Amino acid sequence: SSPVRGPRRHRSIDSEAPDGSPNTYNGTLHIEGRPAVPLTVVNMLLRGSTLRNSEYVLGIVVNTGHDTKVIQGLRAPSHKQSTLLSSINQMIVWIVLLLLVLCLIAGAAELALYHELDLVDHWYMNTQKEEDGVAATFLVNTVYFFLLLSAFVSVTLYVNILLSQKLIQYFMQWSLSMYDPESDTPMRVRNSQLVDELGVISHVFSDKTGTLTQNVMQFRKASIGGIAYGRGTSEIAVARMKRLGELPAGEDVEAGATEGAAAHSPPGGSVISRHVNFDDPALVEALGGSDEQGKRCREFFLHLALCHTVVTEVVYGERSLSASSPDETALVAGAERFGYRFIERHHDTVELQGPDGEPLQYEVLDVLEFSSARRRMSIVVRNSQTRAISLLSKGADTVMLPLLASGQEELVAQTEAHMHDHSNDGLRTLVIASKELSEEEYLSWSERYRRAASDLDEVEKKSREEPNAIDDQCDAMESRMRLLGSTALEDKLQEGVLACIADLVKAGIATWMLTGDKEETAINIAYACELLDSTTTVVVVGLKTHPNVEDITRALREATAAAEESMELSASAQRGRRALVIDGGALGLLFGAAPDAPACQLEFLRFTQTCATVVACRCAPAQKAKLVRLVRRNVRGVSALAIGDGANDVAMIQTAHVGVGISGKEGMLAVNAADFAIAQFRFLREMLLVQGRHNYRRIAVTVYYVFYKNIMFTLVIFWAQFFAAFSGTKWNLEAGNQLYNVLLTMFPILWFSVFDKDVSDETSLALPQLYHLGPGNHFYFNWRATLRWIFQAIYESLAIALLCVFSLDGLSPDGESPGLYLIGACTITLAIVVPNLKLILWFFSWNIWSFVLIGFEVVLWWGVGGVVASEIKPENRGTSGEFIAQFVLGWYKLWGNVNELGTFWLLMLLVPAVVLLPQVFYSFYMRRFHPQFRDLAMECEYHGLPIDALKAWQIPAGQRQRRLVKGAPRPLYQASRFQRLCASLCGSKAKSESARSTATRA
């Protein structure tokens, strides 16, 4: 069908300037002879949108080309770098400085030996040194040696790491252990440079709804007119009663709908069965009564059927409800369950079916939408039959109860008591209220509201969540309301959450739950998730009990003192678990502008370092991000992982070192903003304890190995200068120098970085304590290990150079002293053989492929040597031949002579033993007399021993705690060094707020 053409009117749109925000749009539509109509993002169809439940639309193109939000919103992706890569950058600086020291020593030594050995008359030496001067000669020598020893700093290091990370990415995505068959969703790695960061996570910041829970809401209980309805016990309530020892025998945990209630259900049972799990015949009886309570119950469910933004859909012949939030779907299904069926929504009308099948129609006059700042949603409707106007509102109790009219104190107290009980059962509660409006009252308010909503300045303020006239008019309407009751929805825990969180705690990872639920709900869900248990000392800080910053600071300081005293007195490894529960109001003071806020933040940081768990309830999205940033900026050695499933978790996910999005029922915004994507929270266990731990250990060894083999290879050339008067002469085959990193030592370490495992995946999951060697000790990557690898490179290179020089003296095929290139052939061969053999000592999972690849590298070098040493016929020497000759200089028929030397083969046996046996003895000593927890696990797995004793081991509290950085607490938002430098060059001072705005846009 097509729209009916009307009279031609002048139309215009006042539109905002093009921007890249897909969630906001501000404009005003002017039609001649009609009042101005405000335009918001609700009226905007963006590229890629799908229009449903509409036969046609009338539209106008507002922006095209580079002015569209898609193009305007393009930004360079935020670059997150793993802790390992950041440390590598620092290591490279020190290694370059070490290289400069070697070059300075070589340059000075060459200059000194030139005069001391009287090399002026040697024709093959540089005879221009006397003319150039001492300073110029020293500078030229230093630069020359810098070029000669440039392989000291590996240019292939990042190639090795990035290639390993990319291969690891594919294998992680192919893992069936992180594949969800129900939704056909595999694990996704969106930032391969962070695969090793998964092995050093110290803090996990988790959302609750949709992350720990299924985000499948069911209507379970209600409070109407001060009377509670609904029987049965949720799984979270059962966990609470077990903890308190209050669980009665034979308690019905999963109570479903009774037959009596089902008899009153209208058609559409499939919708009800999915979203309603209610059992209480008393409510059915009350709905059929003619008394005041029956009227309240009918009004309550009529409210639920009207106050929402749900639309109906027919998918494969089955009717379903489509809503932006699972809460609304459950509430509409609950209304349908008790007689008020939502039929269809048109542009400005809502059609219902009453308890007796009668049609009901309501005109929608205004919708006051939900926002994170308002935390409520309201709708103004007019009954098409009686023409009565009503305001229907629902929202969180903290914002709804202050908006109620006076004179309802007893009803409010009863409802609050019921909500408290429902929260203890782990149910999500909403307050339901309404208000009758006269025609004059509504028209007067509507004029003011539309005037404010048409003002682009006020719309802009509202989009920035600043005080504005639009919210003022909403507040004016949503006042002096009449309380109808409250709803209680159940959101069950996801499968495997309990085991996952228990293992994260055993692994020494501090787990924080950040939720918008009530305090009681959050605490009981934390107990049900085993974030808290009966042995946990819980400190609760809330705005009601601690109304100012001074009270919060004092409470945290006392809790910290008690925790430290307990640690000093207790000799146990665990020393008791502690937890902090803090609400959004207290967080508002903590992050506020009060002079004492920094001191409060410091005490908060000090106490949370003694806690295994922190629960933040009534927490706004911005507060979640601030908590992550506070910990990230002020705790030494921290690596934060944030996990969530909704748009309100995006800021937290982007702030953390590692962001994980769950592809749940709240869209893909969290997944698109994350570094990793999984379908269920339980997969975090596999991702961290197995994949992350293996990745971090393997990448750390890869980094050390690449540094080691390049330093060792280059130092062999450096030691040769002691026998060549530091003339800069190379005794290595140039082709070998060029192929050393890209071919001759490449494949075994690549295999190691992707496939090696110290223990099996099953053992990694059975012993979560293995994980603590990463974030707690940095056992695999630290400065002591760095110095140990460098020392090994120096020792092995010196042994190779000296043993070859002194062992080959007088043993050339013609009985003379060996030539320079013959010694070089032996040293470069050992410099290739030793690193490949050394890698065997680091392989934990030996298999045929690891030995095949190491053997392939050695055999490949023999092939390269044979090819370059073959005779080059004079007629084949052209321009290309001269070019090739640079890489095979001195090797004409050399390789065959080298292989004929018995001393060469003896060196191939003795030198690797001399240089590698010390490491074998050191590893044996450490595992025998100073074993790590991992060594014990490996022994048990190898010999098939029971691991019960290892399972009982707990990570010492001292290793769980981390120190604060110097000068804590640091500002949450601070200009970077580069920004401050640019600002100083421009003659202006960089401000923290400017840096914050820049970070937000990025």
Side-chain angles (χ1 to χ4, degrees):
S1 59
S2 59
V4 179
R5 295 185 179 273
R8 181 178 297 274
R9 300 175 185 270
H10 176 73
R11 303 171 177 86
S12 64
I13 293 179
D14 294 337
S15 178
E16 67 177 9
D19 62 35
S21 174
N23 300 318
T24 61
Y25 176 75
N26 303 318
T28 305
L29 172 63
H30 299 281
I31 302 178
E32 182 182 357
R34 295 185 180 179
V37 179
L39 302 177
T40 66
V41 71
V42 177
N43 309 105
M44 177 68 71
L45 280 179
L46 300 177
R47 174 184 173 184
S49 300
T50 301
L51 189 67
R52 300 186 301 187
N53 304 295
S54 301
E55 296 180 358
Y56 66 87
V57 293
L58 295 176
I60 184 172
V61 177
V62 178
N63 294 317
T64 61
H66 289 280
D67 290 339
T68 59
K69 290 185 176 289
V70 173
I71 302 299
Q72 290 282 322
L74 291 179
R75 296 288 186 274
S78 58
H79 179 67
K80 289 185 179 181
Q81 193 176 57
S82 68
T83 305
L84 200 62
L85 287 177
S86 300
S87 301
I88 291 173
N89 296 334
Q90 300 175 14
M91 290 174 59
I92 289 178
V93 172
W94 287 104
I95 289 177
V96 170
L97 292 177
L98 181 58
L99 172 60
L100 290 175
V101 171
L102 294 178
C103 294
L104 292 173
I105 293 173
E110 196 274 346
L111 195 60
L113 291 175
Y114 181 81
H115 293 284
E116 183 177 342
L117 301 178
D118 194 19
L119 301 177
V120 177
D121 297 331
H122 290 67
W123 61 268
Y124 51 85
M125 303 294 291
N126 182 9
T127 59
Q128 301 295 322
K129 290 182 170 59
E130 298 293 340
E131 301 175 4
D132 295 340
V134 175
T137 302
F138 173 73
L139 179 61
V140 171
N141 291 342
T142 302
V143 174
Y144 176 79
F145 278 105
F146 187 85
L147 296 176
L148 179 66
L149 306 177
S150 59
F152 197 82
V153 181
S154 174
V155 295
T156 62
L157 173 63
Y158 285 103
V159 176
N160 279 87
I161 295 175
L162 295 178
L163 184 57
S164 300
Q165 290 173 334
K166 204 65 181 178
L167 292 174
I168 290 171
Q169 171 186 355
Y170 292 126
F171 282 101
M172 288 182 67
Q173 293 180 154
W174 295 337
S175 172
L176 294 179
S177 301
M178 293 182 286
Y179 169 74
D180 183 35
E182 183 177 347
S183 61
D184 190 24
T185 305
M187 185 263 189
R188 285 284 177 260
V189 179
R190 298 174 55 84
N191 187 351
S192 61
Q193 295 189 30
L194 294 177
V195 293
D196 54 281
E197 189 71 11
L198 296 175
V200 293
I201 298 300
S202 60
H203 289 69
V204 169
F205 297 85
S206 174
D207 178 39
K208 182 190 73 68
T209 304
T211 303
L212 300 177
T213 59
Q214 299 177 12
N215 205 15
V216 178
M217 305 299 175
Q218 288 188 324
F219 189 88
R220 284 300 300 260
K221 297 182 180 183
S223 172
I224 307 175
I227 300 177
Y229 297 100
R231 301 186 306 188
T233 308
S234 65
E235 60 178 347
I236 295 176
V238 170
R240 171 176 172 268
M241 288 188 290
K242 285 181 179 178
R243 171 172 53 88
L244 299 177
E246 300 175 353
L247 183 65
E251 177 67 29
D252 182 15
V253 178
E254 295 295 333
T258 62
E259 293 183 2
H264 293 263
S265 299
S270 60
V271 173
I272 296 174
S273 62
R274 289 194 300 268
H275 301 289
V276 180
N277 188 8
F278 192 94
D279 174 32
D280 195 347
L283 180 56
V284 179
E285 182 179 349
L287 280 168
S290 58
D291 57 354
E292 188 65 24
Q293 182 63 16
K295 180 180 178 181
R296 290 196 195 98
C297 291
R298 290 188 290 272
E299 186 178 355
F300 179 87
F301 287 107
L302 177 61
H303 183 296
L304 298 185
L306 288 172
C307 187
H308 57 80
T309 57
V310 176
V311 295
T312 57
E313 290 184 308
V314 178
V315 181
Y316 300 114
E318 182 179 348
R319 173 178 172 269
S320 64
L321 302 176
S322 177
S324 59
S325 168
D327 300 68
E328 288 204 327
T329 304
L331 294 176
V332 174
E336 181 174 344
R337 172 72 171 73
F338 291 101
Y340 289 88
R341 189 186 191 196
F342 171 69
I343 301 298
E344 193 174 3
R345 175 187 301 278
H346 298 287
H347 176 63
D348 54 359
T349 59
V350 175
E351 295 182 5
L352 307 178
Q353 181 179 328
D356 298 326
E358 72 278 13
L360 302 174
Q361 189 177 69
Y362 285 81
E363 180 183 355
V364 179
L365 302 179
D366 288 287
V367 176
L368 310 184
E369 296 179 348
F370 175 88
S371 70
S372 58
R374 284 169 34 81
R375 303 185 67 181
R376 61 185 182 274
M377 178 258 184
S378 300
I379 185 172
V380 181
V381 296
R382 186 200 304 269
N383 190 317
S384 299
Q385 296 179 349
T386 64
R387 310 301 296 172
I389 302 176
S390 303
L391 168 73
L392 310 178
S393 184
K394 63 183 180 185
D397 59 321
T398 53
V399 296
M400 290 292 293
L401 295 180
L403 301 178
L404 299 177
S406 58
Q408 307 178 80
E409 288 76 11
E410 182 178 355
L411 176 59
V412 170
Q414 293 171 342
T415 305
E416 281 191 296
H418 295 156
M419 293 175 65
H420 181 79
D421 293 339
H422 295 160
S423 298
N424 283 334
D425 290 345
L427 305 179
R428 296 163 58 89
T429 60
L430 284 176
V431 172
I432 308 298
S434 66
K435 181 171 71 172
E436 302 298 326
L437 300 173
S438 64
E439 188 76 22
E440 294 77 10
E441 183 181 4
Y442 169 72
L443 292 177
S444 175
W445 172 85
S446 178
E447 182 181 357
R448 298 192 304 271
Y449 174 73
R450 296 184 186 281
R451 187 185 309 117
S454 303
D455 190 331
L456 293 182
D457 292 337
E458 297 300 326
V459 174
E460 184 67 22
K461 292 179 183 178
K462 180 178 174 63
S463 65
R464 297 194 300 263
E465 295 189 358
E466 298 176 355
N468 59 87
I470 301 175
D471 286 344
D472 292 341
Q473 293 303 318
C474 292
D475 294 341
M477 170 58 71
E478 297 166 329
S479 61
R480 303 186 305 279
M481 293 186 290
R482 180 168 59 91
L483 177 62
L484 295 178
S486 66
T487 61
L489 307 179
E490 180 183 11
D491 188 9
K492 295 183 179 181
L493 293 176
Q494 290 184 14
E495 178 186 352
V497 166
L498 302 184
C500 179
I501 290 180
D503 285 347
L504 293 182
V505 173
K506 290 180 181 178
I509 301 175
T511 308
W512 295 32
M513 185 178 75
L514 315 180
T515 177
D517 285 340
K518 288 172 62 66
E519 179 182 299
E520 296 83 2
T521 304
I523 291 176
N524 285 291
I525 289 179
Y527 274 109
C529 295
E530 297 186 1
L531 284 171
L532 308 176
D533 57 31
S534 57
T535 65
T536 306
T537 302
V538 182
V539 176
V540 180
V541 176
L543 190 61
K544 290 184 178 180
T545 56
H546 304 82
N548 52 59
V549 177
E550 292 78 9
D551 292 340
I552 298 175
T553 305
R554 187 183 308 110
L556 293 173
R557 184 180 296 116
E558 293 173 354
T560 304
E564 292 175 348
E565 181 181 358
S566 174
M567 289 181 181
E568 293 176 358
L569 295 177
S570 176
S572 65
Q574 188 72 7
R575 297 178 180 172
R577 289 180 57 186
R578 290 167 187 81
L580 172 66
V581 178
I582 187 169
D583 66 9
L587 289 175
L589 296 176
L590 183 76
F591 295 120
D596 296 334
C600 187
Q601 293 176 13
L602 178 60
E603 294 301 329
F604 175 83
L605 289 167
R606 289 181 58 202
F607 179 61
T608 54
Q609 294 318 299
T610 68
C611 296
T613 299
V614 175
V615 177
C617 51
R618 292 302 191 193
C619 192
Q623 290 177 329
K624 295 181 180 181
K626 287 181 178 179
L627 279 173
V628 176
R629 188 178 295 274
L630 180 68
V631 173
R632 176 173 177 171
R633 286 185 56 80
N634 293 283
V635 180
R636 191 185 304 275
V638 69
S639 183
L641 180 147
I643 179 171
D645 72 315
N648 59 341
D649 303 316
V650 169
M652 173 180 69
I653 288 173
Q654 292 179 333
T655 302
H657 292 90
V658 177
V660 179
I662 291 184
S663 52
K665 305 180 183 304
E666 293 194 11
M668 300 295 289
L669 283 175
V671 169
N672 293 336
D675 306 299
F676 301 89
I678 54 179
Q680 297 286 325
F681 182 86
R682 69 176 184 271
F683 296 146
L684 195 65
R685 180 169 173 250
E686 168 82 13
M687 191 167 70
L688 296 183
L689 304 185
V690 178
Q691 303 288 347
R693 195 184 71 83
H694 286 321
N695 294 344
Y696 177 66
R697 180 187 64 83
R698 293 183 300 219
I699 296 295
V701 174
T702 300
V703 171
Y704 282 139
Y705 180 79
V706 174
F707 272 127
Y708 148 81
K709 67 186 179 72
N710 281 272
I711 293 175
M712 188 270 289
F713 185 82
T714 307
L715 285 179
V716 172
I717 301 176
F718 179 78
W719 303 131
Q721 301 309 307
F722 284 88
F723 304 96
F726 283 91
S727 61
T729 303
K730 291 189 292 185
W731 62 10
N732 280 357
L733 175 67
E734 183 60 30
N737 293 342
Q738 301 300 323
L739 297 177
Y740 182 75
N741 281 308
V742 297
L743 196 60
L744 299 175
T745 57
M746 177 74 170
F747 299 112
I749 188 60
L750 190 61
W751 177 271
F752 172 90
S753 65
V754 178
F755 296 108
D756 187 64
K757 296 180 180 180
D758 51 359
V759 295
S760 65
D761 295 350
E762 292 74 18
T763 302
S764 296
L765 292 175
L767 297 174
Q769 300 92 325
L770 287 167
Y771 188 83
H772 85 285
L773 293 175
N777 293 344
H778 290 284
F779 173 75
Y780 305 113
F781 197 86
N782 54 62
W783 281 106
R784 284 182 297 178
T786 303
L787 295 176
R788 188 164 60 247
W789 278 87
I790 293 177
F791 173 78
Q792 292 173 9
I794 295 172
Y795 164 71
E796 293 172 17
S797 64
L798 189 61
I800 291 173
L802 296 181
L803 288 175
C804 287
V805 169
F806 293 109
S807 298
L808 294 171
D809 188 26
L811 293 176
S812 64
D814 54 6
E816 299 178 356
S817 295
L820 179 71
Y821 294 108
L822 190 147
I823 298 176
C826 296
T827 58
I828 192 173
T829 302
L830 287 169
I832 292 171
V833 171
V834 169
N836 281 293
L837 293 179
K838 186 185 184 73
L839 197 57
I840 296 178
L841 303 180
W842 288 93
F843 269 106
F844 287 102
S845 52
W846 291 345
N847 55 55
I848 186 62
W849 283 106
S850 55
F851 290 103
V852 165
L853 289 173
I854 291 174
F856 169 76
E857 299 285 25
V858 176
V859 173
L860 181 63
W861 164 243
W862 251 259
V864 171
V867 171
V868 300
S870 62
E871 181 178 356
I872 302 177
K873 296 181 179 180
E875 58 268 20
N876 293 335
R877 292 188 179 184
T879 304
S880 59
E882 294 178 359
F883 175 76
I884 296 174
Q886 301 175 32
F887 296 93
V888 300
L889 182 65
W891 271 63
Y892 179 64
K893 293 186 176 181
L894 176 66
W895 191 236
N897 294 334
V898 171
N899 282 273
E900 291 175 358
L901 287 175
T903 307
F904 170 76
W905 293 104
L906 185 61
L907 287 172
M908 291 300 107
L909 295 175
L910 294 181
V911 173
V914 169
V915 299
L916 297 181
L917 279 178
Q919 181 179 335
V920 175
F921 293 143
Y922 175 79
S923 300
F924 172 79
Y925 172 79
M926 293 301 295
R927 293 189 189 180
R928 178 66 179 85
F929 299 103
H930 303 282
Q932 291 286 340
F933 183 81
R934 181 197 55 180
D935 301 326
L936 302 178
M938 292 171 58
E939 290 287 332
C940 290
E941 182 177 81
Y942 181 79
H943 295 288
L945 301 175
I947 59 174
D948 296 337
L950 296 180
K951 287 183 177 180
W953 183 76
Q954 295 178 333
I955 300 172
Q959 295 186 19
R960 292 176 176 269
Q961 292 181 342
R962 286 164 180 81
R963 294 179 297 171
L964 302 182
V965 299
K966 186 177 180 180
R970 294 176 176 176
L972 295 183
Y973 302 97
Q974 188 175 26
S976 65
R977 293 179 181 177
F978 178 76
Q979 291 170 329
R980 293 197 295 270
L981 176 62
C982 293
S984 62
L985 292 176
C986 296
S988 61
K989 184 179 179 181
K991 298 182 179 180
S992 297
E993 189 63 31
S994 173
R996 177 183 177 183
S997 301
T998 303
T1000 303
R1001 289 194 298 270

